[in-house]
């Protein structure tokens, strides 16, 4: 796709929008960056764009923005069904996501990873496995810098590993990864997609353009994903914690094992992995599958599994205070992700939860909270609904606080060995923080100042 000489409207002045606006300008497009937020609410630095001559229009989003526009590029934070985008589609204007732009600019093969939970861990782990080859490896997408910015540093001999969210998949057209992976699908972002059926459809877009020369990695234990294998042209590689699969990865006698084209290949004993928890076994198997299909030798894959310690904000050890361990799991932005954290501990948890409510079902989550926690500390917009759900589930020790600082202080006052304090909000952070990273770093700073 040729962007030179095109009039392009970029919607959303976040990380992706600012980055892709600069890239498209460099490619010779006439670019306008728009956001419905007022100028003083834009958090990114748009000064370089202004100096380049990119038009900046903030605080309004009326239909005359479409005059003369050839393409619209949508940032992940902008829903695909806002009035301006619907009007653009009615005018026949092509609408695409930032990762679609990245795909057209990328000379290297792409491995794309999506799923409700586990994307960042799997993407980061796979990146480390691929780096053992000495090839140029780019890791981006929904993690770190914008993918369109990252792919500029790689040539056809490199490889790109991209974490892809359902938001980013809303605007794909030709996006065609050589290897794609869907880790799991559980209710999330229903405030954006409105239904599970629509959410699942967004996830399936990751393999829509794949052919028989490509690979699709799916979680065999998830019936929704297992069914997706019937709707792809790609070669399917399953992974499973519960079954031995014919072509894929599974655990046999405590060892992650790959079967492929009639061969059975042991990879690494689970007990030797640095990252713990059943969810991380699944993440590891998905990463092993993608690395194996990319030609990485099994000894190199095993060596990375034995040294990889995980990612920031995902069940991240922070500090031990008065014999009590504190963990930052700020990346748990939905109940299912928080449940993975709770399952990683034997019990006696003091859980800090709450934030921006996604209005997902809390039944299973609160059932596990009752089983695993000694105290539940709730805050944020979701506090009242979470409190009501906890009471219905029979959770005994529930505390509601007004501020994040109060939550950490109360946990410190309550905690005694062998208890652990875990921040695993089961919610987005937007009521108090810009993102889950800011929330997690605030938690770590407070914990380091305790005592």
């Amino acid at each position: 796709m040729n962007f030179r000489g095109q009039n392009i409207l970029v919607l959303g002045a976040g990380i992706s929008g600012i980055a892709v606006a600069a890239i498209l300008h460099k490619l010779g497009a006439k670019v306008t960056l728009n956001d419905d937020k007022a100028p003083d609410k834009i958090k990114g630095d748009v000064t370089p764009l202004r100096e380049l001559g990119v038009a900046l229009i903030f605080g309004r989003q009326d239909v005359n923005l479409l005059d003369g526009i050839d393409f619209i590029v949508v940032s992940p934070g902008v829903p695909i069904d806002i009035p301006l985008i619907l009007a653009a589609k009615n005018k026949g204007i092509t609408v695409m996501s930032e990762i679609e732009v990245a795909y057209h600019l990328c000379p290297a093969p792409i491995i794309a990873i999506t799923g409700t939970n586990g994307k960042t861990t799997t993407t980061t782990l796979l990146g480390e496995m691929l780096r053992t080859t000495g090839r140029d490896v780019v890791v981006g997408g929904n993690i770190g810098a914008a993918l369109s910015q990252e792919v500029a540093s790689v040539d056809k001999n490199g490889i790109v590993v991209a974490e892809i969210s359902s938001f980013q998949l809303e605007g794909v057209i030709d996006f065609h990864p050589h290897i794609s992976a869907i880790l799991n699908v559980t209710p999330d972002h229903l405030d954006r997609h409105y239904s599970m059926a629509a959410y699942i459809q967004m996830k399936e877009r990751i393999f829509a353009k794949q052919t028989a020369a490509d690979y699709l990695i799916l979680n065999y234990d998830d019936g929704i994903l297992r069914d997706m294998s019937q709707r792809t042209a790609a070669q399917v590689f399953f992974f499973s914690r519960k079954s031995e699969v014919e072509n894929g990865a599974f655990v046999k006698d405590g060892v992650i094992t790959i079967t492929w084209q009639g061969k059975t290949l042991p990879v690494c004993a689970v007990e030797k992995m640095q990252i713990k928890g059943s969810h991380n076994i699944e993440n590891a198997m998905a990463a092993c599958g993608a690395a194996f299909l990319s030609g990485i030798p099994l000894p190199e894959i095993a060596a990375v599994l034995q040294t990889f310690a995980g990612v920031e904000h995902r069940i991240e050890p922070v500090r031990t205070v008065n014999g009590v361990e504190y963990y930052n799991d700020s990346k748990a932005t939905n109940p299912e992700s928080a449940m993975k954290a709770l399952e990683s501990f034997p019990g006696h948890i003091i859980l800090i939860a709450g934030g921006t409510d996604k209005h997902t079902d809390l039944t299973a989550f609160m059932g596990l909270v009752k089983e695993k926690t000694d105290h539940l500390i709730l805050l944020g917009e979701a506090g009242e609904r979470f409190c009501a759900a906890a009471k219905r589930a029979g959770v005994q020790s529930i505390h509601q606080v007004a501020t994040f600082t109060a939550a950490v202080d109360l946990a410190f006052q309550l905690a005694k060995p062998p208890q652990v304090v875990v921040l695993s909000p089961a919610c987005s952070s937007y009521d108090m923080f810009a993102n889950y990273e800011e929330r997690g770093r605030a938690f770590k700073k407070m914990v380091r100042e305790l005592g």
Side-chain angles (χ1 to χ4, degrees), residues 1-3 23-24 27 71 73 94-108 110 147-148 151 171-176 209:
M1 185 175 290
N2 184 12
F3 298 107
I23 290 161
L24 291 169
L27 292 171
F71 297 117
V73 177
T94 300
V95 178
M96 68 182 73
S97 62
E98 180 266 337
I99 62 162
E100 179 72 15
V101 175
Y103 167 71
H104 286 285
L105 300 180
C106 183
I110 296 174
L147 189 62
S148 55
V151 299
V172 296
I173 302 169
D174 299 317
F175 183 66
H176 180 173
K209 296 295 183 178

Side-chain angles (χ1 to χ4, degrees), residues 294-310:
S294 300
I296 309 302
L298 295 182
E300 277 77 359
I301 294 174
V304 173
L305 286 176
Q306 292 171 34
T307 57
F308 181 75

Side-chain angles (χ1 to χ4, degrees), residues 258 264-268 288 291-292 295-305:
I258 289 175
T264 300
L265 308 165
V267 181
C268 179
C288 286
F292 171 76
I296 309 302
L298 295 182
E300 277 77 359
I301 294 174
V304 173
L305 286 176

Side-chain angles (χ1 to χ4, degrees), residues 111-130 161-162 179-184 206 215-221 225 235-241 245 247-251 256-258 260 267 270 273 275 277-296 298 301 304-305 308:
I111 301 175
I113 296 170
T114 195
T116 306
N117 299 305
K119 297 186 294 296
T120 300
T121 296
T122 305
T123 301
T124 307
L125 174 58
L126 176 58
E128 293 303 308
M129 291 175 177
L130 294 170
V161 188
I179 300 173
S180 65
I182 307 179
L183 306 177
N184 44 64
I206 201 167
Y215 302 98
L216 171 61
I217 298 171
L218 294 171
N219 186 342
Y220 186 84
D221 301 334
L225 271 60
Q235 301 175 63
V236 175
F237 182 105
F238 284 118
F239 65 92
S240 173
R241 283 192 299 113
V245 292
N247 282 302
F250 55 91
V251 178
I256 292 178
T257 303
I258 289 175
W260 191 252
V267 181
V270 170
M273 289 169 46
I275 51 176
S278 59
H279 62 294
N280 276 325
I281 296 174
E282 294 179 350
N283 296 337
M285 288 191 291
C288 286
F292 171 76
L293 295 171
S294 300
I296 309 302
L298 295 182
I301 294 174
V304 173
L305 286 176
F308 181 75

Side-chain angles (χ1 to χ4, degrees), residues 18 42 155 182 203 215 228 237 240 242 285 304 336 341 343 353 399 410 433 443:
I18 292 172
I42 303 298
D155 61 23
I182 307 179
K203 292 298 188 185
Y215 302 98
M228 289 180 186
F237 182 105
S240 173
K242 301 175 181 178
M285 288 191 291
V304 173
E336 287 74 18
E343 289 167 347
H399 313 264
L410 179 57
F433 299 95
F443 176 74

Side-chain angles (χ1 to χ4, degrees), residues 5 69 72 117 217 228 264 324 334 403 411:
I69 294 297
I72 290 181
N117 299 305
I217 298 171
M228 289 180 186
T264 300
V324 175
N334 58 64
T403 67

